[in-house]
Amino acid sequence: MKQNEHTVVIVDDHLLLSGSLEKLINSFDGFSVLYHASNGKELQQKLKTHKSQPDIILLDINMPVMDGFETAAWLTDNHPEIKVLALSMEDDEKVILKMLQKGAKGYLLKDIHPDRLKIALQEVMDRGYYHSEKVAATLLHSIQPSYNKEEVKFKQNELTFLQLACSEMTYKEIADVMSLSPKTIDGYRQELFNRLHIKNRVGLVIYALKNDLIKI
Amino acid sequence: MKQNEHTVVIVDDHLLLSGSLEKLINSFDGFSVLYHASNGKELQQKLKTHKSQPDIILLDINMPVMDGFETAAWLTDNHPEIKVLALSMEDDEKVILKMLQKGAKGYLLKDIHPDRLKIALQEVMDRGYYHSEKVAATLLHSIQPSYNKEEVKFKQNELTFLQLACSEMTYKEIADVMSLSPKTIDGYRQELFNRLHIKNRVGLVIYALKNDLIKI
DNA sequence: TAGAAATTGGGGGTTTTTCCTGTGTTGAAT
DNA sequence: ATTCAACACAGGAAAAACCCCCAATTTCTA
C-alpha cells in the first residue's frame, strides 16, 4: 500500500462481484483494497487480526450469517471512524432508510456505472457521504408529505394476527398462540376486513403479499 | 483484440458488476470483452451493428425490458453458434432448468470465486458447457427419479378452480362462473386438499403462489 | 379530571367452508 | 358383455368463518 492511499474492505458474499470489484478499485488512483469478507462475522474477525484498518467498508446487505444491517450497526458502535458504504441491488425505500439509520454514510445501487464508484469513494472520503442519484431521489421522496396515499399502519397485534392469518391456522389456533380470546381475534379480523376493503381470508393473504407483509 | 483470443459479451444491468467483470475477464489469458449490454434488446442491436461476433455471452437473468430467459431463447434461435453462459444469483431449481431449456450452455452463480470464472469460460470453449458445483448438484437432483415427490399435474377444470379459489369469490360464485354444481366444486376442493396435503383455502393460495400457478 | 378513544372480549346469529359417504353416467379396457 | 375408473353431483352435518351489537377496562388527551 502506497502512502496517502485510501484503503477499502469489501464485504459481500458474491465472490465474483467482490473479486472483480477489487481489481476495479485497485485500478483507481488513490484507492486500494485491503481484504474481503463474505459476511459480518468474518469482517469482525478480520478487523481484529489485521493491523491496519480500512478507511471505507463497502457493505452488501443480503448476506448469510450476519447481514448488512447488523454489520452496519455494529460498525457504527465499534468503529465509528470507518465509513460504511452500502452496496445493494435493492432500491426499496424502506431498505435504504433502514441502512442509513444503522449509520451507513452512503448507499450505492449495483447498477451504477463503474466510474461512479470512484466518485463515490472520493466523495465519501472528502465530504463524508455519497448517494446514488436514485437513492437521493428516494430519500427526497421519503420526506415528502404523503397526501392521498392513505397511510395504512398496523398495530403490533394486528400485524401479528394478519401474518398468522396467512397461514393454515384457524382463528382459534391464532388466538391460542397470541394468548388472546377468539373474540378479540375476530375483532381484529373485522377491523382489518373493513379497513382494507376485503371480503375474506384469501383477500387478506393477497393484501399481505402485495404489501410485502409476508414472504412466501 | 489479439489473435486466437476468445471474445465475451456481458449482458447485465448491474453496471458495477459488468464493468468490473470486464476488467477481470480482460486479465484472463486468452479472453477479452467485446462490449456490454444492459438487457436483451440492447444486445440484439449491438449484435447487428458490431462486425465481430462474440464466442460467449455472459447473460444475467433479472433484467428490465428483455430478461435472460427471452434473450437466451432468442440467441438459441438466431445465433446458435454463440455460447450462452447464464450468470445469476438464484440457485432455484426451476430457474436453472428453465434457463438451460432456453439453450444456455452453462449456469454460474454469482457467488463463485473469480478464478472459477476463467475455468468456466475455458470449459465452455473446450467442452461446450460448464456448471457451478451447486448447479450441477441441482441438475443431478432434478433428474433423479422422484419417488415420494409425487408429480402434481392439474386437469384444466381443476386448475381453473384452483386459480379462482385464490380470489375472494365464494365456492358458490366459482361454481356459477364455471357452470358447475357447487357440489362438483366441493369435489375438486376435497381432491386438491388431499393431494396437496393442505388444510384450507389459505393453504391453497400459498401452494398456488409457491408453484407459480397464479400471479399477484 | 372528565370524556374520548383504543383494547379486549362476550352474546348470538348467518353463511361458508370443510368433510365423509354414496349414486348415476360415461367411456375405455378386458 | 362386464369391469373399472373418472367424473359430476347429492345428502347431511360439523367446524370455521363471517357479521353486528354491546360492555368493561385502560389509556390518551383536551
PDB file of all heavy atoms in Angstrom, chain A residues 131-150:
ATOM      1  N   HIS A 131     -24.443   9.374  -2.243  1.00  0.00           N
ATOM      2  CA  HIS A 131     -25.597   8.540  -2.604  1.00  0.00           C
ATOM      3  C   HIS A 131     -25.800   8.512  -4.103  1.00  0.00           C
ATOM      4  O   HIS A 131     -25.571   9.512  -4.780  1.00  0.00           O
ATOM      5  CB  HIS A 131     -26.867   9.089  -1.953  1.00  0.00           C
ATOM      6  CG  HIS A 131     -26.811   9.084  -0.478  1.00  0.00           C
ATOM      7  ND1 HIS A 131     -26.795   7.927   0.267  1.00  0.00           N
ATOM      8  CD2 HIS A 131     -26.714  10.099   0.421  1.00  0.00           C
ATOM      9  CE1 HIS A 131     -26.726   8.238   1.544  1.00  0.00           C
ATOM     10  NE2 HIS A 131     -26.660   9.545   1.668  1.00  0.00           N
ATOM     11  N   SER A 132     -26.226   7.343  -4.591  1.00  0.00           N
ATOM     12  CA  SER A 132     -26.620   7.241  -5.997  1.00  0.00           C
ATOM     13  C   SER A 132     -27.754   8.219  -6.257  1.00  0.00           C
ATOM     14  O   SER A 132     -28.485   8.583  -5.343  1.00  0.00           O
ATOM     15  CB  SER A 132     -27.141   5.833  -6.315  1.00  0.00           C
ATOM     16  OG  SER A 132     -26.141   4.879  -6.138  1.00  0.00           O
ATOM     17  N   GLU A 133     -27.904   8.603  -7.518  1.00  0.00           N
ATOM     18  CA  GLU A 133     -28.992   9.523  -7.871  1.00  0.00           C
ATOM     19  C   GLU A 133     -30.334   8.946  -7.436  1.00  0.00           C
ATOM     20  O   GLU A 133     -31.160   9.616  -6.844  1.00  0.00           O
ATOM     21  CB  GLU A 133     -29.025   9.773  -9.387  1.00  0.00           C
ATOM     22  CG  GLU A 133     -27.965  10.748  -9.878  1.00  0.00           C
ATOM     23  CD  GLU A 133     -26.635  10.060 -10.088  1.00  0.00           C
ATOM     24  OE1 GLU A 133     -26.508   8.878  -9.711  1.00  0.00           O
ATOM     25  OE2 GLU A 133     -25.716  10.705 -10.623  1.00  0.00           O
ATOM     26  N   LYS A 134     -30.542   7.674  -7.788  1.00  0.00           N
ATOM     27  CA  LYS A 134     -31.807   7.013  -7.456  1.00  0.00           C
ATOM     28  C   LYS A 134     -32.060   7.050  -5.954  1.00  0.00           C
ATOM     29  O   LYS A 134     -33.168   7.278  -5.501  1.00  0.00           O
ATOM     30  CB  LYS A 134     -31.775   5.546  -7.900  1.00  0.00           C
ATOM     31  CG  LYS A 134     -32.437   5.283  -9.236  1.00  0.00           C
ATOM     32  CD  LYS A 134     -32.667   3.776  -9.377  1.00  0.00           C
ATOM     33  CE  LYS A 134     -32.725   3.362 -10.833  1.00  0.00           C
ATOM     34  NZ  LYS A 134     -32.696   1.916 -11.003  1.00  0.00           N
ATOM     35  N   VAL A 135     -31.007   6.821  -5.201  1.00  0.00           N
ATOM     36  CA  VAL A 135     -31.136   6.795  -3.749  1.00  0.00           C
ATOM     37  C   VAL A 135     -31.475   8.187  -3.240  1.00  0.00           C
ATOM     38  O   VAL A 135     -32.354   8.363  -2.387  1.00  0.00           O
ATOM     39  CB  VAL A 135     -29.842   6.288  -3.093  1.00  0.00           C
ATOM     40  CG1 VAL A 135     -29.916   6.431  -1.596  1.00  0.00           C
ATOM     41  CG2 VAL A 135     -29.592   4.844  -3.499  1.00  0.00           C
ATOM     42  N   ALA A 136     -30.795   9.176  -3.804  1.00  0.00           N
ATOM     43  CA  ALA A 136     -31.064  10.547  -3.401  1.00  0.00           C
ATOM     44  C   ALA A 136     -32.523  10.886  -3.675  1.00  0.00           C
ATOM     45  O   ALA A 136     -33.203  11.494  -2.844  1.00  0.00           O
ATOM     46  CB  ALA A 136     -30.141  11.499  -4.157  1.00  0.00           C
ATOM     47  N   ALA A 137     -33.015  10.459  -4.849  1.00  0.00           N
ATOM     48  CA  ALA A 137     -34.402  10.719  -5.210  1.00  0.00           C
ATOM     49  C   ALA A 137     -35.341  10.022  -4.232  1.00  0.00           C
ATOM     50  O   ALA A 137     -36.335  10.604  -3.782  1.00  0.00           O
ATOM     51  CB  ALA A 137     -34.671  10.230  -6.625  1.00  0.00           C
ATOM     52  N   THR A 138     -35.002   8.794  -3.901  1.00  0.00           N
ATOM     53  CA  THR A 138     -35.825   8.039  -2.959  1.00  0.00           C
ATOM     54  C   THR A 138     -35.875   8.724  -1.604  1.00  0.00           C
ATOM     55  O   THR A 138     -36.932   8.838  -0.984  1.00  0.00           O
ATOM     56  CB  THR A 138     -35.255   6.618  -2.788  1.00  0.00           C
ATOM     57  OG1 THR A 138     -35.217   5.992  -4.064  1.00  0.00           O
ATOM     58  CG2 THR A 138     -36.120   5.798  -1.846  1.00  0.00           C
ATOM     59  N   LEU A 139     -34.718   9.202  -1.178  1.00  0.00           N
ATOM     60  CA  LEU A 139     -34.645   9.882   0.114  1.00  0.00           C
ATOM     61  C   LEU A 139     -35.515  11.120   0.111  1.00  0.00           C
ATOM     62  O   LEU A 139     -36.253  11.378   1.053  1.00  0.00           O
ATOM     63  CB  LEU A 139     -33.193  10.264   0.416  1.00  0.00           C
ATOM     64  CG  LEU A 139     -32.345   9.127   0.935  1.00  0.00           C
ATOM     65  CD1 LEU A 139     -30.903   9.547   1.068  1.00  0.00           C
ATOM     66  CD2 LEU A 139     -32.894   8.701   2.298  1.00  0.00           C
ATOM     67  N   LEU A 140     -35.415  11.870  -0.997  1.00  0.00           N
ATOM     68  CA  LEU A 140     -36.197  13.084  -1.132  1.00  0.00           C
ATOM     69  C   LEU A 140     -37.668  12.726  -1.033  1.00  0.00           C
ATOM     70  O   LEU A 140     -38.433  13.359  -0.311  1.00  0.00           O
ATOM     71  CB  LEU A 140     -35.897  13.721  -2.486  1.00  0.00           C
ATOM     72  CG  LEU A 140     -36.297  15.183  -2.610  1.00  0.00           C
ATOM     73  CD1 LEU A 140     -35.476  16.025  -1.651  1.00  0.00           C
ATOM     74  CD2 LEU A 140     -36.104  15.665  -4.042  1.00  0.00           C
ATOM     75  N   HIS A 141     -38.053  11.684  -1.757  1.00  0.00           N
ATOM     76  CA  HIS A 141     -39.443  11.254  -1.781  1.00  0.00           C
ATOM     77  C   HIS A 141     -39.935  10.868  -0.398  1.00  0.00           C
ATOM     78  O   HIS A 141     -41.069  11.153  -0.023  1.00  0.00           O
ATOM     79  CB  HIS A 141     -39.609  10.064  -2.728  1.00  0.00           C
ATOM     80  CG  HIS A 141     -40.965   9.471  -2.706  1.00  0.00           C
ATOM     81  ND1 HIS A 141     -41.265   8.320  -2.020  1.00  0.00           N
ATOM     82  CD2 HIS A 141     -42.121   9.887  -3.270  1.00  0.00           C
ATOM     83  CE1 HIS A 141     -42.547   8.059  -2.162  1.00  0.00           C
ATOM     84  NE2 HIS A 141     -43.098   8.981  -2.928  1.00  0.00           N
ATOM     85  N   SER A 142     -39.032  10.242   0.362  1.00  0.00           N
ATOM     86  CA  SER A 142     -39.450   9.721   1.659  1.00  0.00           C
ATOM     87  C   SER A 142     -39.762  10.831   2.649  1.00  0.00           C
ATOM     88  O   SER A 142     -40.469  10.610   3.623  1.00  0.00           O
ATOM     89  CB  SER A 142     -38.369   8.805   2.226  1.00  0.00           C
ATOM     90  OG  SER A 142     -37.333   9.578   2.782  1.00  0.00           O
ATOM     91  N   ILE A 143     -39.220  12.031   2.388  1.00  0.00           N
ATOM     92  CA  ILE A 143     -39.509  13.109   3.324  1.00  0.00           C
ATOM     93  C   ILE A 143     -40.644  14.000   2.839  1.00  0.00           C
ATOM     94  O   ILE A 143     -41.073  14.890   3.544  1.00  0.00           O
ATOM     95  CB  ILE A 143     -38.262  13.966   3.614  1.00  0.00           C
ATOM     96  CG1 ILE A 143     -37.660  14.462   2.300  1.00  0.00           C
ATOM     97  CG2 ILE A 143     -37.233  13.182   4.415  1.00  0.00           C
ATOM     98  CD1 ILE A 143     -36.634  15.555   2.507  1.00  0.00           C
ATOM     99  N   GLN A 144     -41.125  13.730   1.599  1.00  0.00           N
ATOM    100  CA  GLN A 144     -42.279  14.478   1.115  1.00  0.00           C
ATOM    101  C   GLN A 144     -43.501  14.061   1.923  1.00  0.00           C
ATOM    102  O   GLN A 144     -43.645  12.906   2.268  1.00  0.00           O
ATOM    103  CB  GLN A 144     -42.545  14.150  -0.363  1.00  0.00           C
ATOM    104  CG  GLN A 144     -41.370  14.395  -1.279  1.00  0.00           C
ATOM    105  CD  GLN A 144     -41.183  15.868  -1.605  1.00  0.00           C
ATOM    106  OE1 GLN A 144     -42.159  16.606  -1.595  1.00  0.00           O
ATOM    107  NE2 GLN A 144     -39.955  16.283  -1.852  1.00  0.00           N
ATOM    108  N   PRO A 145     -44.415  15.029   2.176  1.00  0.00           N
ATOM    109  CA  PRO A 145     -45.653  14.625   2.837  1.00  0.00           C
ATOM    110  C   PRO A 145     -46.468  13.746   1.890  1.00  0.00           C
ATOM    111  O   PRO A 145     -46.516  14.003   0.698  1.00  0.00           O
ATOM    112  CB  PRO A 145     -46.368  15.951   3.088  1.00  0.00           C
ATOM    113  CG  PRO A 145     -45.784  16.905   2.099  1.00  0.00           C
ATOM    114  CD  PRO A 145     -44.374  16.453   1.875  1.00  0.00           C
ATOM    115  N   SER A 146     -47.087  12.719   2.418  1.00  0.00           N
ATOM    116  CA  SER A 146     -47.883  11.818   1.579  1.00  0.00           C
ATOM    117  C   SER A 146     -49.350  12.194   1.700  1.00  0.00           C
ATOM    118  O   SER A 146     -49.964  11.954   2.723  1.00  0.00           O
ATOM    119  CB  SER A 146     -47.664  10.375   2.008  1.00  0.00           C
ATOM    120  OG  SER A 146     -47.763  10.261   3.398  1.00  0.00           O
ATOM    121  N   TYR A 147     -49.870  12.817   0.642  1.00  0.00           N
ATOM    122  CA  TYR A 147     -51.217  13.371   0.692  1.00  0.00           C
ATOM    123  C   TYR A 147     -52.303  12.307   0.649  1.00  0.00           C
ATOM    124  O   TYR A 147     -52.908  11.978   1.648  1.00  0.00           O
ATOM    125  CB  TYR A 147     -51.408  14.353  -0.471  1.00  0.00           C
ATOM    126  CG  TYR A 147     -50.603  15.605  -0.273  1.00  0.00           C
ATOM    127  CD1 TYR A 147     -49.523  15.875  -1.096  1.00  0.00           C
ATOM    128  CD2 TYR A 147     -50.905  16.492   0.754  1.00  0.00           C
ATOM    129  CE1 TYR A 147     -48.759  17.019  -0.906  1.00  0.00           C
ATOM    130  CE2 TYR A 147     -50.149  17.630   0.946  1.00  0.00           C
ATOM    131  CZ  TYR A 147     -49.080  17.887   0.108  1.00  0.00           C
ATOM    132  OH  TYR A 147     -48.330  19.000   0.297  1.00  0.00           O
ATOM    133  N   ASN A 148     -52.534  11.767  -0.563  1.00  0.00           N
ATOM    134  CA  ASN A 148     -53.662  10.854  -0.689  1.00  0.00           C
ATOM    135  C   ASN A 148     -53.278   9.401  -0.436  1.00  0.00           C
ATOM    136  O   ASN A 148     -54.125   8.576  -0.171  1.00  0.00           O
ATOM    137  CB  ASN A 148     -54.274  10.992  -2.087  1.00  0.00           C
ATOM    138  CG  ASN A 148     -53.211  11.096  -3.161  1.00  0.00           C
ATOM    139  OD1 ASN A 148     -52.042  10.859  -2.869  1.00  0.00           O
ATOM    140  ND2 ASN A 148     -53.600  11.450  -4.369  1.00  0.00           N
ATOM    141  N   LYS A 149     -52.002   9.082  -0.527  1.00  0.00           N
ATOM    142  CA  LYS A 149     -51.565   7.705  -0.323  1.00  0.00           C
ATOM    143  C   LYS A 149     -51.941   7.300   1.100  1.00  0.00           C
ATOM    144  O   LYS A 149     -51.128   7.389   2.009  1.00  0.00           O
ATOM    145  CB  LYS A 149     -50.052   7.610  -0.533  1.00  0.00           C
ATOM    146  CG  LYS A 149     -49.511   6.183  -0.580  1.00  0.00           C
ATOM    147  CD  LYS A 149     -47.990   6.203  -0.751  1.00  0.00           C
ATOM    148  CE  LYS A 149     -47.271   6.655   0.506  1.00  0.00           C
ATOM    149  NZ  LYS A 149     -45.840   6.806   0.330  1.00  0.00           N
ATOM    150  N   GLU A 150     -53.213   6.880   1.261  1.00  0.00           N
ATOM    151  CA  GLU A 150     -53.716   6.648   2.613  1.00  0.00           C
ATOM    152  C   GLU A 150     -52.752   5.769   3.418  1.00  0.00           C
ATOM    153  O   GLU A 150     -52.371   4.687   2.993  1.00  0.00           O
ATOM    154  CB  GLU A 150     -55.118   6.025   2.589  1.00  0.00           C
ATOM    155  CG  GLU A 150     -55.168   4.529   2.482  1.00  0.00           C
ATOM    156  CD  GLU A 150     -55.373   4.083   1.044  1.00  0.00           C
ATOM    157  OE1 GLU A 150     -54.625   4.573   0.153  1.00  0.00           O
ATOM    158  OE2 GLU A 150     -56.244   3.276   0.803  1.00  0.00           O
TER     159      GLU A 150
END
